[in-house]
């Protein structure tokens, strides 16, 4: 039975409804680069198990040299695995020859860090290039390119050349070009790392729009944790060629299990201790001191009046030192730095009330 077709409001092409089955599955995938001797061989990836659900945005984050670029190049056949299997829509692509890869690549779009536009071709002609290569009729090309340029907000830049565009506009051309062949899968190779923060936000919003309105699965690699936080449904953390943690972005960010993940997410989920307070914090309580707590709020608690409830329930004054409320994968998340009396009855009452409210509290130290 064929999958039901989702009407495409943009007129770019109908697409089946996304299903929960993975569009990509890595099964114990390894990639080793040969050296002059067996001892000099370099293992870029080892034992990679990873699934990319159809219709999702999945991010792979890691530092330089962690193996993320090799991983994404395996998906479009620019590199070939030396161990394990990679399944795309159930097909074992590790067994494909070059003709098989040419067929498969027609359903995979690619967005690059440095845009990879042809300087001698106009915006229109850059977007049209994949359609020309596929032998699409000129009239069809013209209609398709116009719709794609409207989608990415460049309808008025059709006749411009890349040198006349800003970095964000060049990346929008790259996105339009990647969508030209109606791909089921979009690969993003550090697509925002060459852009300023404001432009990055606009490009991420466009990618989310493409995902939601066209139903295209997106796999992206990045070293920028804010990119993952902003648009990814799932995240995999890669280190030393291995996936060290993987899961839904909100769950991974709010409860990291691996030290590498914790270091990545601290910058976007934590709240820093103010400089004027940091030098005064001590590991042990002193007479008259207060406990400094970092309280984590998730879900409904992120916007609930928890502090006022806490004060009314235990009858203890809670001093707010710093805080932030943000969103991770579209879900609210908050972090608050507070101080409460160190005296045993009051401190135990506060910590007990926090537990009863389902909040995570971390003792930072004590301050006089």
């Amino acid at each position: 039975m064929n999958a039901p077709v989702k009407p495409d409001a943009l007129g770019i092409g109908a697409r089946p409804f996304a299903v929960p089955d993975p569009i990509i599955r890595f099964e114990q995938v390894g990639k080793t680069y040969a050296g002059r001797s067996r001892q000099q061989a370099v293992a870029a990836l080892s034992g990679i198990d990873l699934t990319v659900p159809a219709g999702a945005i999945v991010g792979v984050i890691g530092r330089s040299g962690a193996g993320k670029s090799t991983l994404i190049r395996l998906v479009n056949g620019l590199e070939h695995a030396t161990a394990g299997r990679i399944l795309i829509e159930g097909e074992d692509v590790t067994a494909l020859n070059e003709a098989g890869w040419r067929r498969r690549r027609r359903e995979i779009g690619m967005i690059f860090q440095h845009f990879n536009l042809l300087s001698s071709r106009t915006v229109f002609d850059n977007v049209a290039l994949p359609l020309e290569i596929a032998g699409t009729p000129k009239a069809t090309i013209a209609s398709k390119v116009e719709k794609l340029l409207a989608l990415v907000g460049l309808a008025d830049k059709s006749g411009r050349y890349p040198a006349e565009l800003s970095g964000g506009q060049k990346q929008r051309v790259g996105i339009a070009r990647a969508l030209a062949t109606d791909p089921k899968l979009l690969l993003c190779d550090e697509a925002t790392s060459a852009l300023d923060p404001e432009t990055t936000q606009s490009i991420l919003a466009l990618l989310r729009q493409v995902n939601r309105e066209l139903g295209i699965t997106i796999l992206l690699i990045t070293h920028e944790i804010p990119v993952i936080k902003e648009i990814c449904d799932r995240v995999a953390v890669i280190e030393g060629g291995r996936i060290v943690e993987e899961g839904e972005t909100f769950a991974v960010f709010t409860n990291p299990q691996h030290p590498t993940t914790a270091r990545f997410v601290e910058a976007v989920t934590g709240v820093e201790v103010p400089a004027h307070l940091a030098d005064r914090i001590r590991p042990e309580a002193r007479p008259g001191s207060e406990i400094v707590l970092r309280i984590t709020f998730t879900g409904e608690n992120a916007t609930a009046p928890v502090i006022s409830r806490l004060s009314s329930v235990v009858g203890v004054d809670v001093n707010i030192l710093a805080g932030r409320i943000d969103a991770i994968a579209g879900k609210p998340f908050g972090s608050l730095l507070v101080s409460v009396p160190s005296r045993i009855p009051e401190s135990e009452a506060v910590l007990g009330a926090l537990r009863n409210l389902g909040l995570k509290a971390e003792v930072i130290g004590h301050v006089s």
Side-chain angles (χ1 to χ4, degrees), residues 15 20 35 60 87 150-151 161 166 199 242 258 296 322 364:
R15 172 138 354 265
V60 178
L87 306 176
L151 170 66
Y161 288 87
S166 67
T199 305
R242 295 181 179 274
H258 192 275
T296 300
I364 303 299

Side-chain angles (χ1 to χ4, degrees), residues 233-266:
D233 305 306
R234 299 185 65 83
V235 59
V237 182
I238 189 169
E239 181 181 49
R242 295 181 179 274
I243 301 293
V244 297
E245 190 161 356
E246 187 268 340
E248 292 185 1
T249 301
F250 189 83
V252 171
F253 272 47
T254 56
N255 190 27
Q257 300 299 304
H258 192 275
T260 298
T261 310
R263 288 193 293 271
F264 266 123
V265 305
E266 184 177 6

Side-chain angles (χ1 to χ4, degrees), residues 271 273 281-283 291-294 337-338 362-366:
V271 56
V273 178
I281 293 180
R282 299 291 181 266
I291 297 178
V292 179
L293 302 174
R294 179 182 283 117
L337 205 66
V338 304
E362 173 191 3
V363 177
I364 303 299
H366 302 262

